[in-house]
Amino acid sequence: MKEIILLKEGEIALKGLNKRNFEEAFMRNLRHRLKSIGHFDFHCDQSMVYCEPGDDVDMDEAVEMTSKVFGAAAMCRARVSEKDFECIAADALEYCGKQLAQAHSFKVAAKRADKTFPMTSPDICIELGGRILEKYPHLTVDVKHPELTVNVEVRETNAYIHTGNLPAAGGIPVGTSGRGLLLLSGGIDSPVAAYMMAKRGIDISCIHYVSPPYTSDRARLKVERLCEKLTPYLGDTTFYCVPFTKIQEALRDHVPSELFTIIMRRCMLKIAQKIAEQNNLQALITGESVGQVASQTMGAIVCTDNAVDMPVFRPVIGMDKTEIIEISRRIDTFDISIEPYEDCCTVFTPKHPKTRPNLKGVLEAEKLYDFETLIEEATAATEVKVIKL
Ligand code: ATP
Ligand code: MG
């Protein structure tokens, strides 16, 4: 029996002249993500991507992985049949047999993209419905709220039979919207930010700041595991790890404690901008949500933004923690995020950070020490590694 995964384009279908580029990026990403599961052939026709497995492919695994690749609005797992009604009927009875035996009501829904097929869609519904009732007389037909829908799609080269769409990843293919650098902490919010921006087609690299010995190796490994968890969505991702201890010690020793956090965050962004520029990444991304903590008040965000002249995307800016947690559970990063390891942001944090910093005061305080040199040094000492799917 030949099964296939059909992916129905969402936004891609609405693209104009460059639609083909989006489709190619989508198929390239699918090929990459499914590589370890087995061999697949891909082609695209009339806003549908066909993902045909070779022999011995674990289809459950393939469907699970495919559901995380951005670009499709819906997907289904379908039986491939010949474009002949007798074959379609026999295959439908076999492929949907178990579900038909268990259901109480059903309907057949037919679509005919190939108008040369000798039967119309209503003909297919009536004929196939009759065959199903013959074999499963306990069933009733319910066209409004059937328990089971047997879909038949007659397309260019084959007919496809399936029992409904599965949730697809949505979004547009990673790599079609430029490249960004995500500030990835070990927390809940930034992995969700990565997911959200990748969904909009951004190819994401990650940067993480560590402060040994105040932060442990295990804390860093936790963040690498978060990165790994994200690879089905992001693809392979480059991970930059910045040694941040000297900067934090200098901040502790030389700037007023209530400005520690804000200037630290400015240093983080400045390093991120340098790494981004060196690697042709066009925007920075953070997991900040306005009002969540002292460093994320409007005033604090204004002061941090001013440190760089590159766009900073904050996809979770308007979300509640509960909404962010919901996504982090769905993408399965939550359990790692809540492991209790220290983050450099919590090293030396003052008891009373300024929630309404004024930019002039912040810029004055920054002049109290040669932070620019430390920023250069930390950038130069940054370690790079590729985290693969
Ligand atoms: P998260 O849950 O993402 O850790 P948070 O609510 O704990 O966020 P903060 O610790 O203030 O908030 O961090 C805000 C943002 O700053 C994070 O979402 C992340 O983008 C970035 N960030 C914080 N700590 C680090 C770090 N050690 N390395 C890289 N980025 C960081
Ligand atoms: Mg954090």
Side-chain angles (χ1 to χ4, degrees):
M1 181 190 72
K2 185 88 184 156
E3 256 190 320
I4 189 172
I5 301 172
L6 301 176
L7 295 139
K8 303 185 184 189
E9 290 176 4
E11 274 180 62
I12 297 179
L14 308 173
K15 300 288 175 199
L17 290 176
N18 54 358
K19 180 175 168 193
R20 192 67 207 156
N21 297 343
F22 285 84
E23 290 176 336
E24 268 162 15
F26 187 31
M27 289 190 279
R28 196 163 52 240
N29 292 347
L30 285 165
R31 183 171 294 118
H32 169 261
R33 307 291 204 285
L34 291 170
K35 204 169 57 189
S36 64
I37 297 175
H39 177 78
F40 288 81
D41 285 319
F42 300 92
H43 72 275
C44 182
D45 184 42
Q46 295 188 345
S47 300
M48 176 85 90
V49 173
Y50 296 75
C51 188
E52 276 181 60
D55 297 332
D56 298 328
V57 164
D58 181 334
M59 283 297 276
D60 291 337
E61 226 184 300
V63 167
E64 167 77 19
M65 179 59 83
T66 307
S67 73
K68 296 178 178 166
V69 184
F70 298 119
M75 61 184 273
C76 66
R77 179 174 174 164
R79 163 83 185 239
V80 184
S81 191
E82 273 175 49
K83 279 167 65 171
D84 166 88
F85 180 75
E86 289 306 321
C87 294
I88 293 173
D91 287 343
L93 286 169
E94 188 202 303
Y95 188 55
C96 310
K98 207 165 158 193
Q99 286 164 285
L100 287 165
Q102 286 168 355
H104 299 92
S105 63
F106 82 105
K107 78 168 180 183
V108 177
K111 246 195 233 150
R112 196 176 53 134
D114 171 14
K115 301 291 181 207
T116 65
F117 189 72
M119 292 167 81
T120 64
S121 301
D123 288 345
I124 298 172
C125 293
I126 293 165
E127 282 294 319
L128 182 56
R131 299 282 179 97
I132 290 173
L133 283 172
E134 249 169 57
K135 185 156 180 199
Y136 299 97
H138 73 282
L139 284 170
T140 54
V141 175
D142 181 344
V143 288
K144 285 223 170 93
H145 305 289
E147 223 174 280
L148 183 72
T149 302
V150 176
N151 298 277
V152 176
E153 300 191 21
V154 182
R155 291 184 158 262
E156 231 38 63
T157 50
N158 287 99
Y160 301 93
I161 300 156
H162 65 90
T163 55
N165 287 327
L166 305 165
I172 51 177
V174 165
T176 58
S177 297
R179 306 172 69 215
L181 181 60
L182 169 83
L183 281 76
L184 180 63
S185 69
I188 295 169
D189 307 330
S190 41
V192 171
Y195 163 82
M196 289 177 72
M197 290 287 83
K199 187 169 182 177
R200 297 311 307 157
I202 296 184
D203 182 342
I204 289 180
S205 300
C206 299
I207 186 166
H208 177 63
Y209 304 80
V210 292
S211 285
Y214 309 105
T215 63
S216 65
D217 242 10
R218 289 166 68 184
R220 171 191 169 154
L221 290 175
K222 167 187 166 176
V223 179
E224 289 187 20
R225 274 189 288 129
L226 273 174
C227 245
E228 261 168 49
K229 251 305 184 228
L230 287 166
T231 53
Y233 299 101
L234 311 187
D236 294 345
T237 177
T238 307
F239 180 79
Y240 299 93
C241 189
V242 185
F244 207 52
T245 316
K246 279 190 193 155
I247 291 177
Q248 287 197 290
E249 286 174 341
L251 287 164
R252 175 196 61 192
D253 297 339
H254 300 283
V255 304
S257 76
E258 73 272 16
L259 292 179
F260 175 94
T261 307
I262 202 87
I263 298 179
M264 175 186 76
R265 300 198 56 78
R266 285 171 57 86
C267 293
M268 283 182 160
L269 283 195
K270 285 181 187 177
I271 294 170
Q273 169 159 295
K274 285 184 193 294
I275 299 281
E277 283 168 353
Q278 287 166 6
N279 295 282
N280 294 320
L281 309 170
Q282 302 141 292
L284 305 179
I285 302 159
T286 78
E288 289 162 302
S289 159
V290 73
Q292 200 185 76
V293 287
S295 62
Q296 297 176 27
T297 61
M298 177 76 89
I301 288 175
V302 168
C303 286
T304 33
D305 243 21
N306 165 275
V308 288
D309 44 27
M310 183 175 255
V312 181
F313 297 160
R314 299 176 170 89
V316 304
I317 193 76
M319 290 170 78
D320 288 353
K321 198 75 185 184
T322 46
E323 293 169 315
I324 300 172
I325 287 175
E326 203 180 294
I327 299 179
S328 83
R329 283 192 197 278
R330 187 150 48 78
I331 62 174
D332 205 21
T333 51
F334 182 77
D335 289 343
I336 302 180
S337 290
I338 58 170
E339 288 175 12
Y341 294 114
E342 62 293 333
D343 180 64
C344 74
C345 272
T346 54
V347 175
F348 314 136
T349 43
K351 283 211 175 60
H352 303 290
K354 258 211 189 329
T355 51
R356 293 181 186 204
N358 103 0
L359 184 57
K360 205 162 153 251
V362 169
L363 294 175
E364 284 300 314
E366 251 175 21
K367 288 191 198 131
L368 295 170
Y369 193 79
D370 182 8
F371 289 107
E372 289 305 322
T373 299
L374 291 183
I375 286 170
E376 291 289 348
E377 284 170 8
T379 307
T382 293
E383 286 174 31
V384 194
K385 122 182 214 187
V386 177
I387 309 253
K388 293 211 181 247
L389 180 75

